[in-house]
Amino acid sequence: MSTPIQNTMNKTFQAFTTMDIVLMALLATANAVMTMYMSGVNQLLSSLGGPILTSTITGLYMVYGLLAYYIIRKPGTAVITYALGALVQSFVGTSYGIISALAAAVCYMVVAEIIFAMLRYRNWSTGVMMLVGGAMVPIWFIVAIQLFGYSKFGFGVLAIAMVIRIVSGVLLCGWLTIGLARALGKTGLLRRFAAFSSGR
């Protein structure tokens, strides 16, 4: 016998069309490829400036899930997209480890889903996207401190790294999401999605 929670989840996921799923899968795959190529850049930044320099590109790792949410605008988009991203990364390989990919995905999806639920899935302004981009950072950074041993750098360094990561999330995830979405929207390929359908 189904519980109310199960019924709600079923209704939520039934709301996604095949095109929604395909878009989320494409973005998740693109992220996995990008992550693979960026691992070298991340390692270089880490060797030069530890967690502070690596923090400058944090937002790029989160952008695919927020971009999917902005385009599709349906509850549960972050859960599916970030889960797919972690799954694809696990298959193609990640220099950060499967555990870190899964943990990051969970942190991102939880924060994004909570914020959009609080806004009743009605506000998709640039400001909101930037807010979500920055808000997805802190929980994952706390987890990352434990996973990657950043605690050895001390509170001062970590505090600076946190601020930089939040700014990166705001700009390279939130603000960039709007830019990418508008650029893709001009191609006409997204006209069947909520963000670019008539009346929006």
Side-chain angles (χ1 to χ4, degrees), residues 29-51:
T29 302
N31 173 75
V33 174
M34 180 200 72
T35 299
M36 185 169 58
Y37 283 104
M38 283 184 60
S39 62
V41 176
N42 192 67
Q43 290 172 0
L44 175 62
L45 292 175
S46 181
S47 64
L48 294 174

Side-chain angles (χ1 to χ4, degrees), residues 10 19 46 65-66 116 119 130 140 145 153 162 164:
N10 288 335
M19 289 182 61
S46 181
L66 191 57
F116 286 123
L119 295 173
M130 294 173 73
W140 163 237
I145 289 173
F153 291 102
M162 173 74 87
I164 293 175

Side-chain angles (χ1 to χ4, degrees), residues 2-198:
S2 299
T3 65
I5 294 177
Q6 289 175 324
N7 289 333
T8 301
M9 291 182 64
N10 288 335
K11 289 179 181 179
T12 296
F13 291 116
Q14 285 173 2
F16 292 105
T17 66
T18 300
M19 289 182 61
D20 293 336
I21 300 297
V22 169
L23 177 64
M24 289 187 279
L26 286 174
L27 290 174
T29 302
N31 173 75
V33 174
M34 180 200 72
T35 299
M36 185 169 58
Y37 283 104
M38 283 184 60
S39 62
V41 176
N42 192 67
Q43 290 172 0
L44 175 62
L45 292 175
S46 181
S47 64
L48 294 174
I52 291 181
L53 276 186
T54 59
S55 297
T56 59
I57 59 174
T58 294
L60 294 176
Y61 293 101
M62 308 184 296
V63 70
Y64 71 105
L66 191 57
L67 179 59
Y69 224 138
Y70 179 80
I71 295 171
I72 297 171
R73 303 187 177 185
K74 294 178 182 178
T77 299
V79 173
I80 297 177
T81 310
Y82 283 124
L84 285 174
L87 183 63
V88 175
Q89 285 185 51
S90 298
F91 278 116
V92 302
T94 170
S95 60
Y96 312 110
I98 294 176
I99 297 299
S100 67
L102 294 173
V106 171
C107 292
Y108 300 156
M109 68 175 69
V110 167
V111 174
E113 292 294 350
I114 289 175
I115 294 177
F116 286 123
M118 291 174 63
L119 295 173
R120 299 178 182 274
Y121 312 100
R122 295 175 181 172
N123 191 334
W124 305 95
S125 66
T126 300
V128 167
M129 294 301 108
M130 294 173 73
L131 169 66
V132 178
M136 288 194 290
V137 171
I139 295 178
W140 163 237
F141 186 50
I142 292 172
V143 174
I145 289 173
Q146 304 304 317
L147 286 178
F148 303 127
Y150 288 160
S151 56
K152 66 183 179 183
F153 291 102
F155 178 79
V157 171
L158 295 180
I160 295 172
M162 173 74 87
V163 172
I164 293 175
R165 282 179 179 241
I166 292 174
V167 172
S168 179
V170 168
L171 298 178
L172 298 184
C173 181
W175 181 78
L176 184 59
T177 287
I178 299 296
L180 290 173
R182 288 175 178 171
L184 290 171
K186 290 179 180 178
T187 67
L189 296 174
L190 304 178
R191 60 184 178 276
R192 294 186 180 180
F193 292 96
F196 300 96
S197 62
S198 59

